[in-house]
Amino acid sequence: MKKSKIFLLYSISFFIMSTNISNAIGIYDAGIYKKTNNEAKTYQYEEVTFVTGKPVILKGTLTRTKIDKEKENDTLKKEIEKAKKTTNKNNKQKETSKSDPIPQVTNEVPITYKGTKINEKYTLSGGGITLTRDLTISPVNEYYRGQIVQTEEISKIKETITTSGQTYNLDSNLSEISESIVIDKKPAIDYYAGNSNFYKVYTTGTGNTNTGKKLIIQMDGKSSGYDEFWGSTETKIMNYTITTEQEAATNNTSNNNNDNNNNNNGNNNTNNNNNTNAVVNGTYTVKTSQNTIKDLIYSENDPKKISFRGGYIITSQNNAAMEYTYDINGITGKGQSENENLPEIQRLFAPVLTDVQGHYAEEAIKIITSMNGFEMAKKTFLPNAPISRDEFARAVVVTSGIYNPNAKKTTSVLKEELFSDMKKSDSNYNYVKKAVDSKIMIGRDDNKFEPKSPLTRAEAVRILTNSLGLESLIPNGKYNTGFEDESQIPPWAFESAYIAQDIGLIEKGGAFRPNESLTKADASELLLRYINYMTGDLKEDYMQRILNY
């Protein structure tokens, strides 16, 4: 947790939107981007090119269709509900359980639907080179059991590269492009990984591929990333082969020039972009990392005579890094480029709680309450009291960013009532509904949620680890959790207990006390570690281990 004094603050809406482009397919070359206006569709964009035989950073703008993630999710929900009505008309019973607090994956049928059509327009220049690119992508999505396989269909692509009077036009009849990603949708986070490749053929002249100069660029790449409230990261590794083919042999002047260039092993390419007949032949690799990073910062007030001593701030910053290595015409080298936005700042509420000062969980309690994860109307928090199911549901959907009070209302087809023991007038009704709709929690038997019943420590850990979807951390074969009271852990919570101690949600070893009621203080500590994981370890796993950034 960072602590600092900030003298001038401009508060913005609590739900800070990520300026990362949605994880839909697109952006075929390895570039990085930033933008300063969340409402704009235009990004400041840069990528590296080797069309002259040496690295040149092209900079300019990328205008891209803005993806409304909430609208996309609502479309998926409607498609799922339609499928349920078709395949299981007679089963209208809500999923409930006396023990396990999370829903199980039910029988589903694959659903195919179209995503938002994406248009991308690039205008880039640098080092005597200009590039324009215009393409339209129609994603086709196939959903099954919480995952989406997204495949591209390109309906239009145009690309022109101009360097020192030489113009290359992409021949769409000779070129091939393919990309597909799988998105694993978990309650609090989306993980995704994809593969892409292309074979691009550029020609000069009047369009006759037998008389003009050709530029051929092949790429094979992969990507991985995640997207959640506290941040998002996408990393790409793209391997390229670049080749130029000279004009037909009838052009003796060009052939002579090409022979001279070959004898010089491409040295002219390194120093002179005006040599339009230079041969380019080699390979290069580009790695990129595009990130949105949020941090919690404590800001202490300078005046002594003030109603509150300080408060918390959420900062949100976007940064990107690109690094490349190359072996072109026998010349090797490497380079990098970085960019970042000015951090956005949002001040949180400053709750005044009279019974937490000096408590071991004071900081955690104040942070979760300042985010509106706990009710702020009362000055007494009662930190040692058991947390109820509806209180925990509220705290989880708020701290994970699943609940957005500023979200646009959608016409969802999910219109059935919630539970028989909850009314819409209940203060935590909307939070519980969001927790259930997002598959964070389910109700008890008899169509009841039991909102005021206490939550056990095992249930809390099960809910949080399920929201992150880290089942892949479970070792093969037999394993133990390391807790001295392991035998008391319910079977449905055993994997969650292992994951929770592995990622730092709970301390390793000692007693877990799985069936004891969770206190509000311990719930606050648990939720703060949950936030720290999403802002720390998760980010580092993608940024540092893959790109060393």
PDB file of all heavy atoms in Angstrom, residues 60-74:
ATOM      1  N   GLY A  60       1.798   7.549 -35.125  1.00  0.00           N
ATOM      2  CA  GLY A  60       0.636   8.224 -35.682  1.00  0.00           C
ATOM      3  C   GLY A  60      -0.604   7.884 -34.898  1.00  0.00           C
ATOM      4  O   GLY A  60      -0.569   7.797 -33.667  1.00  0.00           O
ATOM      5  N   THR A  61      -1.696   7.654 -35.593  1.00  0.00           N
ATOM      6  CA  THR A  61      -2.975   7.412 -34.927  1.00  0.00           C
ATOM      7  C   THR A  61      -3.592   6.098 -35.381  1.00  0.00           C
ATOM      8  O   THR A  61      -3.420   5.649 -36.515  1.00  0.00           O
ATOM      9  CB  THR A  61      -3.972   8.548 -35.208  1.00  0.00           C
ATOM     10  OG1 THR A  61      -4.183   8.655 -36.625  1.00  0.00           O
ATOM     11  CG2 THR A  61      -3.449   9.871 -34.667  1.00  0.00           C
ATOM     12  N   LEU A  62      -4.306   5.498 -34.469  1.00  0.00           N
ATOM     13  CA  LEU A  62      -5.151   4.336 -34.725  1.00  0.00           C
ATOM     14  C   LEU A  62      -6.563   4.707 -34.291  1.00  0.00           C
ATOM     15  O   LEU A  62      -6.793   5.058 -33.132  1.00  0.00           O
ATOM     16  CB  LEU A  62      -4.659   3.121 -33.939  1.00  0.00           C
ATOM     17  CG  LEU A  62      -5.671   1.986 -33.705  1.00  0.00           C
ATOM     18  CD1 LEU A  62      -6.147   1.387 -35.024  1.00  0.00           C
ATOM     19  CD2 LEU A  62      -5.079   0.907 -32.809  1.00  0.00           C
ATOM     20  N   THR A  63      -7.485   4.667 -35.226  1.00  0.00           N
ATOM     21  CA  THR A  63      -8.894   4.885 -34.907  1.00  0.00           C
ATOM     22  C   THR A  63      -9.589   3.539 -34.974  1.00  0.00           C
ATOM     23  O   THR A  63      -9.522   2.844 -35.996  1.00  0.00           O
ATOM     24  CB  THR A  63      -9.540   5.869 -35.888  1.00  0.00           C
ATOM     25  OG1 THR A  63      -8.831   7.109 -35.843  1.00  0.00           O
ATOM     26  CG2 THR A  63     -10.996   6.115 -35.513  1.00  0.00           C
ATOM     27  N   ARG A  64     -10.217   3.169 -33.889  1.00  0.00           N
ATOM     28  CA  ARG A  64     -10.771   1.818 -33.767  1.00  0.00           C
ATOM     29  C   ARG A  64     -12.161   1.853 -33.161  1.00  0.00           C
ATOM     30  O   ARG A  64     -12.443   2.656 -32.253  1.00  0.00           O
ATOM     31  CB  ARG A  64      -9.862   0.955 -32.887  1.00  0.00           C
ATOM     32  CG  ARG A  64     -10.213  -0.526 -32.847  1.00  0.00           C
ATOM     33  CD  ARG A  64      -9.206  -1.262 -31.975  1.00  0.00           C
ATOM     34  NE  ARG A  64      -9.224  -2.696 -32.166  1.00  0.00           N
ATOM     35  CZ  ARG A  64      -9.954  -3.545 -31.461  1.00  0.00           C
ATOM     36  NH1 ARG A  64     -10.740  -3.086 -30.511  1.00  0.00           N
ATOM     37  NH2 ARG A  64      -9.903  -4.846 -31.697  1.00  0.00           N
ATOM     38  N   THR A  65     -13.034   1.005 -33.633  1.00  0.00           N
ATOM     39  CA  THR A  65     -14.377   0.886 -33.080  1.00  0.00           C
ATOM     40  C   THR A  65     -14.297   0.629 -31.585  1.00  0.00           C
ATOM     41  O   THR A  65     -13.554  -0.240 -31.123  1.00  0.00           O
ATOM     42  CB  THR A  65     -15.138  -0.260 -33.760  1.00  0.00           C
ATOM     43  OG1 THR A  65     -15.163  -0.040 -35.165  1.00  0.00           O
ATOM     44  CG2 THR A  65     -16.562  -0.353 -33.218  1.00  0.00           C
ATOM     45  N   LYS A  66     -15.051   1.393 -30.817  1.00  0.00           N
ATOM     46  CA  LYS A  66     -15.054   1.229 -29.367  1.00  0.00           C
ATOM     47  C   LYS A  66     -15.954   0.062 -28.979  1.00  0.00           C
ATOM     48  O   LYS A  66     -17.121  -0.008 -29.366  1.00  0.00           O
ATOM     49  CB  LYS A  66     -15.537   2.515 -28.691  1.00  0.00           C
ATOM     50  CG  LYS A  66     -15.377   2.506 -27.177  1.00  0.00           C
ATOM     51  CD  LYS A  66     -15.737   3.859 -26.584  1.00  0.00           C
ATOM     52  CE  LYS A  66     -15.544   3.853 -25.078  1.00  0.00           C
ATOM     53  NZ  LYS A  66     -15.891   5.166 -24.484  1.00  0.00           N
ATOM     54  N   ILE A  67     -15.390  -0.869 -28.208  1.00  0.00           N
ATOM     55  CA  ILE A  67     -16.137  -2.053 -27.784  1.00  0.00           C
ATOM     56  C   ILE A  67     -16.811  -1.778 -26.442  1.00  0.00           C
ATOM     57  O   ILE A  67     -16.142  -1.418 -25.470  1.00  0.00           O
ATOM     58  CB  ILE A  67     -15.220  -3.279 -27.654  1.00  0.00           C
ATOM     59  CG1 ILE A  67     -14.440  -3.515 -28.947  1.00  0.00           C
ATOM     60  CG2 ILE A  67     -16.030  -4.512 -27.286  1.00  0.00           C
ATOM     61  CD1 ILE A  67     -15.294  -3.799 -30.142  1.00  0.00           C
ATOM     62  N   ASP A  68     -18.115  -1.908 -26.405  1.00  0.00           N
ATOM     63  CA  ASP A  68     -18.870  -1.751 -25.164  1.00  0.00           C
ATOM     64  C   ASP A  68     -18.929  -3.121 -24.488  1.00  0.00           C
ATOM     65  O   ASP A  68     -19.720  -3.987 -24.878  1.00  0.00           O
ATOM     66  CB  ASP A  68     -20.276  -1.234 -25.461  1.00  0.00           C
ATOM     67  CG  ASP A  68     -21.048  -0.873 -24.195  1.00  0.00           C
ATOM     68  OD1 ASP A  68     -20.745  -1.452 -23.128  1.00  0.00           O
ATOM     69  OD2 ASP A  68     -21.947  -0.017 -24.265  1.00  0.00           O
ATOM     70  N   LYS A  69     -18.078  -3.324 -23.493  1.00  0.00           N
ATOM     71  CA  LYS A  69     -17.980  -4.639 -22.865  1.00  0.00           C
ATOM     72  C   LYS A  69     -19.284  -5.034 -22.184  1.00  0.00           C
ATOM     73  O   LYS A  69     -19.686  -6.205 -22.231  1.00  0.00           O
ATOM     74  CB  LYS A  69     -16.830  -4.639 -21.853  1.00  0.00           C
ATOM     75  CG  LYS A  69     -16.501  -6.016 -21.307  1.00  0.00           C
ATOM     76  CD  LYS A  69     -15.265  -5.995 -20.427  1.00  0.00           C
ATOM     77  CE  LYS A  69     -14.951  -7.375 -19.880  1.00  0.00           C
ATOM     78  NZ  LYS A  69     -13.753  -7.366 -19.009  1.00  0.00           N
ATOM     79  N   GLU A  70     -19.969  -4.073 -21.553  1.00  0.00           N
ATOM     80  CA  GLU A  70     -21.227  -4.401 -20.885  1.00  0.00           C
ATOM     81  C   GLU A  70     -22.287  -4.825 -21.901  1.00  0.00           C
ATOM     82  O   GLU A  70     -23.071  -5.745 -21.654  1.00  0.00           O
ATOM     83  CB  GLU A  70     -21.704  -3.201 -20.066  1.00  0.00           C
ATOM     84  CG  GLU A  70     -20.819  -2.905 -18.864  1.00  0.00           C
ATOM     85  CD  GLU A  70     -21.274  -1.686 -18.094  1.00  0.00           C
ATOM     86  OE1 GLU A  70     -22.256  -1.048 -18.520  1.00  0.00           O
ATOM     87  OE2 GLU A  70     -20.659  -1.374 -17.062  1.00  0.00           O
ATOM     88  N   LYS A  71     -22.285  -4.184 -23.048  1.00  0.00           N
ATOM     89  CA  LYS A  71     -23.231  -4.557 -24.099  1.00  0.00           C
ATOM     90  C   LYS A  71     -22.912  -5.946 -24.637  1.00  0.00           C
ATOM     91  O   LYS A  71     -23.814  -6.749 -24.895  1.00  0.00           O
ATOM     92  CB  LYS A  71     -23.173  -3.533 -25.234  1.00  0.00           C
ATOM     93  CG  LYS A  71     -24.181  -3.777 -26.334  1.00  0.00           C
ATOM     94  CD  LYS A  71     -24.106  -2.687 -27.395  1.00  0.00           C
ATOM     95  CE  LYS A  71     -25.111  -2.951 -28.512  1.00  0.00           C
ATOM     96  NZ  LYS A  71     -25.041  -1.893 -29.552  1.00  0.00           N
ATOM     97  N   GLU A  72     -21.606  -6.241 -24.801  1.00  0.00           N
ATOM     98  CA  GLU A  72     -21.198  -7.565 -25.263  1.00  0.00           C
ATOM     99  C   GLU A  72     -21.628  -8.647 -24.264  1.00  0.00           C
ATOM    100  O   GLU A  72     -22.120  -9.705 -24.660  1.00  0.00           O
ATOM    101  CB  GLU A  72     -19.682  -7.595 -25.440  1.00  0.00           C
ATOM    102  CG  GLU A  72     -19.162  -6.740 -26.584  1.00  0.00           C
ATOM    103  CD  GLU A  72     -19.095  -7.508 -27.887  1.00  0.00           C
ATOM    104  OE1 GLU A  72     -18.392  -8.528 -27.945  1.00  0.00           O
ATOM    105  OE2 GLU A  72     -19.774  -7.078 -28.838  1.00  0.00           O
ATOM    106  N   ASN A  73     -21.428  -8.370 -22.973  1.00  0.00           N
ATOM    107  CA  ASN A  73     -21.817  -9.339 -21.950  1.00  0.00           C
ATOM    108  C   ASN A  73     -23.323  -9.549 -21.924  1.00  0.00           C
ATOM    109  O   ASN A  73     -23.814 -10.665 -21.719  1.00  0.00           O
ATOM    110  CB  ASN A  73     -21.321  -8.884 -20.578  1.00  0.00           C
ATOM    111  CG  ASN A  73     -19.812  -9.011 -20.432  1.00  0.00           C
ATOM    112  OD1 ASN A  73     -19.170  -9.769 -21.149  1.00  0.00           O
ATOM    113  ND2 ASN A  73     -19.238  -8.263 -19.509  1.00  0.00           N
ATOM    114  N   ASP A  74     -24.069  -8.466 -22.128  1.00  0.00           N
ATOM    115  CA  ASP A  74     -25.515  -8.574 -22.126  1.00  0.00           C
ATOM    116  C   ASP A  74     -26.008  -9.393 -23.319  1.00  0.00           C
ATOM    117  O   ASP A  74     -26.942 -10.192 -23.199  1.00  0.00           O
ATOM    118  CB  ASP A  74     -26.141  -7.172 -22.158  1.00  0.00           C
ATOM    119  CG  ASP A  74     -27.635  -7.194 -21.870  1.00  0.00           C
ATOM    120  OD1 ASP A  74     -28.026  -7.721 -20.822  1.00  0.00           O
ATOM    121  OD2 ASP A  74     -28.401  -6.688 -22.712  1.00  0.00           O
TER     122      ASP A  74
END
